[in-house]
Amino acid sequence: ELRWKAIEQGLSLAKAEKLKPAELVKPLVSAASDPNSTVKAINALGSLGADARDALPFLKSLKTNPEAAIRNAATEAVK
């Protein structure tokens, strides 16, 4: 899956300090709209911690999603 590779690459760049973690928020929110990468994108947002604060409204809205995997990932991401 191309989106998964892009998510992993972005996180790697952020960890290597070649990209500001906050710059990943919008692309990760966009990736979460793809049913094949929703949970992975949510988990990636959660791994950014406070740098993903702009995604909090989006993540909180997913806590009522009908799919348990999405609800659980969103709940963990906002902790």
Side-chain angles (χ1 to χ4, degrees):
E1 168 74 51
L2 184 58
R3 282 194 191 255
W4 288 16
K5 289 181 183 179
I7 290 168
E8 290 171 359
Q9 183 66 30
L11 291 174
S12 293
L13 288 170
K15 286 179 185 174
E17 298 182 2
K18 294 183 179 182
L19 181 68
K20 293 179 182 175
E23 293 177 32
L24 293 173
V25 173
K26 285 184 183 179
L28 288 172
V29 169
S30 177
S33 68
D34 177 351
N36 295 318
S37 61
T38 302
V39 172
K40 189 165 186 76
I42 294 168
N43 290 336
L45 284 164
S47 75
L48 296 178
D51 288 313
R53 69 182 141 271
D54 288 347
L56 275 177
F58 170 71
L59 292 169
K60 287 179 180 179
S61 75
L62 295 177
K63 291 170 69 175
T64 59
N65 190 285
E67 288 190 46
I70 293 172
R71 281 194 316 270
N72 294 338
T75 298
E76 285 299 311
V78 298
K79 285 186 177 179

